[in-house]
């Protein structure tokens, strides 16, 4: 799997990682951090997985389909959690959108 063929997916993974990192940081600054604790946890997990899959694709790992399946599940879970807070926090809304887009892209290669 040549990474040049998957540039759009690489871009989507990177966008999701950045959105999750931003959401993670912004949630830590909220007045009620306990309310967004699960969001923070999933942001961290999702960002790390997106970054790992991005690296795996660029090095032609034979495990890309399996990693993409897990990444899709993690992005979906993170998006679902962020969506719960999207009405209150723009960073959660943006993160949910990025996560759902990434989950769909990952499913296409899983």
């Amino acid at each position: 799997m040549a990474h040049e063929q998957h540039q759009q997916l690489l871009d989507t993974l990177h966008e999701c990682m950045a959105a999750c990192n931003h959401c993670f940081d912004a949630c830590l600054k909220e007045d009620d951090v306990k309310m967004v604790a699960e969001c923070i946890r999933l942001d961290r997990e999702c960002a790390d997985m997106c970054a790992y899959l991005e690296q795996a694709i660029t090095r032609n790992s034979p495990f890309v389909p399996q990693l993409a399946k897990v990444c899709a599940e993690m992005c979906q879970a993170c998006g679902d959690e962020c969506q719960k807070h999207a009405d209150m926090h723009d960073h959660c809304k943006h993160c949910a959108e990025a996560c759902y887009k990434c989950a769909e892209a990952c499913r296409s290669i899983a």
Side-chain angles (χ1 to χ4, degrees):
M1 178 179 300
H3 71 274
E4 294 87 4
Q5 297 172 332
H6 298 286
Q7 190 58 52
Q8 186 174 7
L9 175 57
L10 292 170
D11 293 344
T12 301
L13 286 163
H14 195 79
E15 178 185 319
C16 187
M17 179 199 64
C20 286
N21 280 334
H22 174 70
C23 188
F24 171 85
D25 184 61
C27 282
L28 287 174
K29 296 173 184 167
E30 294 295 336
D31 291 334
D32 188 0
V33 174
K34 284 185 178 184
M35 183 187 78
V36 290
E38 186 67 4
C39 189
I40 292 168
R41 187 181 71 77
L42 289 172
D43 282 338
R44 185 74 261 138
E45 296 278 338
C46 189
D48 287 349
M49 187 64 206
C50 287
Y52 186 76
L53 180 55
E54 186 177 3
Q55 292 177 48
I57 290 169
T58 61
R59 66 176 168 255
N60 272 338
S61 169
F63 301 104
V64 166
Q66 296 94 324
L67 294 169
K69 182 179 187 284
V70 172
C71 191
E73 292 171 10
M74 292 173 80
C75 288
Q76 185 69 45
C78 188
D80 289 348
E81 183 62 31
C82 285
Q83 189 62 41
K84 294 177 184 177
H85 311 284
D87 290 344
M88 294 179 286
H89 309 294
D90 284 343
H91 55 86
C92 286
K93 180 180 179 182
H94 177 69
C95 188
E97 291 167 357
C99 286
Y100 290 146
K101 179 181 175 185
C102 194
E104 184 178 330
C106 287
R107 283 187 203 103
S108 73
I109 66 160

